[in-house]
Structures are given as structure tokens and as C-alpha cells.
Amino acid sequence: MAAAASSSSAAEERRGIPAAAFVEDVETYLRQSGLDVNACLSLLQERLQQYKIVEMKLLAQQRDLQAKIPDIHKCLDIVAALQSKKTLITDYEVSEGIYSRARIEATDSVCLWLGANVMLQYSRQEAFALLQKNLENAKASLQVLLADLQFLRDQETITQVTIARVYNWDVHQRRIKQPINES
């Protein structure tokens, strides 16, 4: 059994997500880590649960970003419409299920809702540039998040394979030690 205990992953961690080590030789891995089979399995299960918690958080962030991008597109469309037309007639929601019609005269400024009860007034050009930058940032964040999720899923798979390898090794060792009953 001259194989190494584990091969190092291409990346040790990605944005705080630790990389899982693929265990090639279970016996050497257990000896080097100083763990027995049960402690090793417990440790791997705990790591797998940690990965699942991080995955849930990342999926929530992904849903938020995927909802935010269409909203930014809508705002960009509205600012573009304001820039191209002198007068705009639109329907807007007054309260849930109640709409009203408004006539918006040409204006040089736009108010953007920034969240946390904050609204700021910008020129149309500034508003368009800000929204464009927000859209680019949201798309870039989504790409990074998707890469993080892929990395995380790879680590979950490696951990699950390692758990199976340790368990199977343990079963094999027990069979070897078990006396053969000849009838």
C-alpha cells in the first residue's frame, strides 16, 4: 500500500469553503489522522452537514440575485423610456390590487429606491449609469455564486465518496477478521 493517503485538490478552499480531500488509501489516511473508523465517519458526516448548510445559504443568495436582475432590467427600461419620450402614460400600483394611471411629463431627474427606506434623486443619465453598473455587478456576483455552488457540490461529492470508501474499508476489515464457519 504505497499509495498516498489523499491527493490534494486543485484548490485548498474557495471563498471560505474548505476543499475536501479525496482519500485513496483509507488505512493510511486513518493512521495519519489518528482516527478510528467511527470518529472518521463522524467527522466526515459533520463536514458534509456543514457543506449542506453553506449550500442552503448560497442557494438563497442565488434566488435573491435572480430576482434582483429582472427588477434592474425593468428600471433600466423605464429610465430609457423616460429619456426617449417627452410624456409617458403609465399604470402604477397604489396598493395591493389597486392601480391608477399617471401622466409623467418630461423631466431631467429620476428617483431611485435604494432600499432600507432610502430614495435618492439622480439625473436620468446618472440613474441609467448606476442601474447599468448595478446590473453588471449583479450578473458578476451571480457568476461567482454559481462557481461557488459548483465547487461546493464537488466537495460534497468527494466527501460522500470518502464516507463510502471508509465504510466499505471497515466492512472489508471486519470480514477479514471474522472467523470462517465451515459446516
Side-chain angles (χ1 to χ4, degrees):
M1 311 247 171
S6 64
S7 62
S8 62
S9 299
E12 289 301 312
E13 74 172 40
R14 177 179 171 87
R15 293 177 15 99
I17 303 168
F22 178 77
V23 175
E24 292 180 29
D25 182 353
V26 175
E27 186 174 357
T28 304
Y29 175 75
L30 290 173
R31 187 173 49 252
Q32 288 178 348
S33 66
L35 298 171
D36 66 2
V37 171
N38 291 332
C40 179
L41 287 172
S42 176
L43 187 70
L44 290 169
Q45 288 290 353
E46 183 180 323
R47 174 61 61 96
L48 189 58
Q49 288 305 315
Q50 290 169 347
Y51 285 144
K52 294 290 185 186
I53 290 168
V54 172
E55 182 181 25
M56 288 180 359
K57 290 178 182 176
L58 291 178
L59 287 171
Q61 290 175 5
Q62 179 186 14
R63 280 189 303 274
D64 291 346
L65 278 172
Q66 287 175 328
K68 184 180 187 180
I69 290 173
D71 289 344
I72 296 172
H73 274 294
K74 261 194 256 181
C75 291
L76 276 167
D77 291 344
I78 291 169
V79 172
L82 287 172
Q83 286 178 327
S84 67
K85 297 179 180 176
K86 295 205 183 279
T87 302
L88 181 66
I89 297 175
T90 186
D91 293 329
Y92 66 96
E93 191 172 15
V94 177
S95 79
E96 191 173 333
I98 300 174
Y99 291 86
S100 182
R101 181 157 285 169
R103 181 179 187 168
I104 303 171
E105 297 296 329
T107 180
D108 291 333
S109 64
V110 175
C111 292
L112 293 181
W113 182 259
L114 301 180
N117 293 325
V118 176
M119 181 180 282
L120 289 178
Q121 184 174 352
Y122 293 94
S123 71
R124 290 184 313 213
Q125 293 79 16
E126 288 175 326
F128 193 82
L130 177 66
L131 289 168
Q132 196 66 34
K133 182 179 175 191
N134 288 351
L135 180 62
E136 291 168 9
N137 289 342
K139 286 181 177 180
S141 294
L142 184 59
Q143 290 305 311
V144 169
L145 192 67
L146 291 174
D148 288 349
L149 277 167
Q150 184 57 52
F151 177 80
L152 184 63
R153 288 180 180 132
D154 291 345
Q155 303 323 296
E156 288 176 357
T157 301
I158 291 169
T159 303
Q160 289 168 339
V161 168
T162 301
I163 289 170
R165 290 175 63 86
V166 170
Y167 179 78
N168 289 338
W169 178 85
D170 185 45
V171 168
H172 180 70
Q173 293 303 308
R174 288 175 194 229
R175 284 187 181 156
I176 290 173
K177 293 177 184 176
Q178 190 177 44
I180 299 174
N181 293 334
E182 294 184 26
S183 303

